[in-house]
Amino acid sequence: MRSIWTGAIGFGLVNIPVRLFSATQSSNLDLDMLDKKNHANIKFQRVNESTGREVAWENIVKGYKYDDEYVIITDEDFEKASPEKSKLIDISEFVKEEEIDSFYYDTPYYTEPAKGGEKAYALLHKALAETGKVGLGTFVLRNKEIFCMLRAMEGDLLALVRLRFPEELRDTSELTLPQKSTIKPAELKMAVALINQLTPRKFSIDKYKDTYSAALMKIIEAKAKGKRVSQPKFRIAKSKAKDLMAQLKESLSTNKKAS
């Protein structure tokens, strides 16, 4: 793994030098875009809108349109906007993790102590684990301010989870949601029973795999060998009963037989 950011975690007067690593990797297949006629690779070019000529990467700058004119933003400008946040994950408060709705969770990262920060890193990990709290803070990554949560994981690891700012979540007022309806006690009881029936005694997230990519790879391998791939038949299972209570009963019965 290669670090994507180096800086420090700051809380109080304590600064812990750390490196940040991406904690995720894509399980998608790497598909290329090709010309349908001769299967040649499709390439994208950075083209000047006025001249139609390709522009070299070193000649490309970033700009913000202000009063119909572009203001050019340099690397120095990004640094000037908040120099301390570019190098410091500033932990402003500690809260119980359950106080943060998982709807705000975005991307997980790993942190690793840099030279000289090992003891303070281990101390913060132990303190978070003992209190059951997480740290909330902000920093700048790739010219964008990041709202984040620092939490203690197993194996002495401090993980950083990127969070969404509240303003990044859309308002639900534009959605058409069901009006308040009367739920019969028997229907609720049946729905709860179905939920309990589908609740495992011991949950393991490891059983969930990206089976779609694996299935797609089998098709690719078959076509590479000149084999014909047939379209599998698939139908969404639906209950013939229109009554909600009857559908719940049928679902419970079907799951009992399957188990």
Side-chain angles (χ1 to χ4, degrees), residues 69-228:
E69 294 289 338
Y70 276 108
V71 177
I72 304 304
I73 306 297
T74 65
D75 291 340
E76 290 75 18
D77 292 324
F78 286 115
E79 187 75 21
K80 290 174 185 175
S82 186
E84 71 282 358
K85 288 188 176 182
S86 298
K87 290 297 180 183
L88 182 69
I89 300 172
D90 184 25
I91 303 300
S92 57
E93 60 183 338
F94 295 91
V95 300
K96 291 288 186 181
E97 187 174 354
E98 55 266 27
E99 293 184 59
I100 305 169
D101 195 306
S102 60
F103 218 54
Y104 289 99
Y105 288 15
D106 193 323
T107 311
Y109 298 90
Y110 296 143
T111 69
E112 176 188 71
K115 188 176 181 181
E118 295 86 355
K119 185 174 181 179
Y121 183 96
L123 176 62
L124 178 57
H125 180 279
K126 190 169 185 178
L128 288 175
E130 190 166 310
T131 58
K133 293 183 179 181
V134 296
L136 295 181
T138 56
F139 71 110
V140 171
L141 174 66
R142 294 168 180 164
N143 302 328
K144 180 176 175 62
E145 183 165 10
I146 304 298
F147 177 35
C148 65
M149 173 180 75
L150 199 67
R151 57 179 295 197
M153 304 286 287
E154 293 183 7
D156 303 321
L157 169 71
L158 283 175
L160 184 144
V161 180
R162 178 175 176 175
L163 301 175
R164 297 179 177 91
F165 285 104
E167 65 263 28
E168 293 180 306
L169 295 178
R170 292 180 173 178
D171 193 285
T172 60
S173 59
E174 294 183 29
L175 300 177
T176 303
L177 302 175
Q179 298 296 318
K180 289 184 178 179
S181 57
T182 303
I183 302 297
K184 298 177 182 178
E187 292 173 338
L188 180 58
K189 184 178 180 181
M190 195 71 69
V192 171
L194 180 58
I195 289 173
N196 290 334
Q197 191 180 83
L198 294 172
T199 302
R201 292 181 180 178
K202 187 176 181 181
F203 172 69
S204 174
I205 201 168
D206 292 332
K207 70 180 181 180
Y208 289 92
K209 308 289 184 183
D210 181 2
T211 57
Y212 179 79
S213 290
L216 185 57
M217 191 64 212
K218 287 182 179 180
I219 293 175
I220 292 172
E221 291 172 344
K223 293 188 73 173
K225 295 175 183 178
K227 296 181 180 179
R228 183 179 178 182

Side-chain angles (χ1 to χ4, degrees), residues 55-64 70-74 78:
V55 181
W57 182 254
E58 59 267 22
N59 292 328
I60 295 178
V61 296
K62 292 183 178 179
Y64 182 85
Y70 276 108
V71 177
I72 304 304
I73 306 297
T74 65
F78 286 115

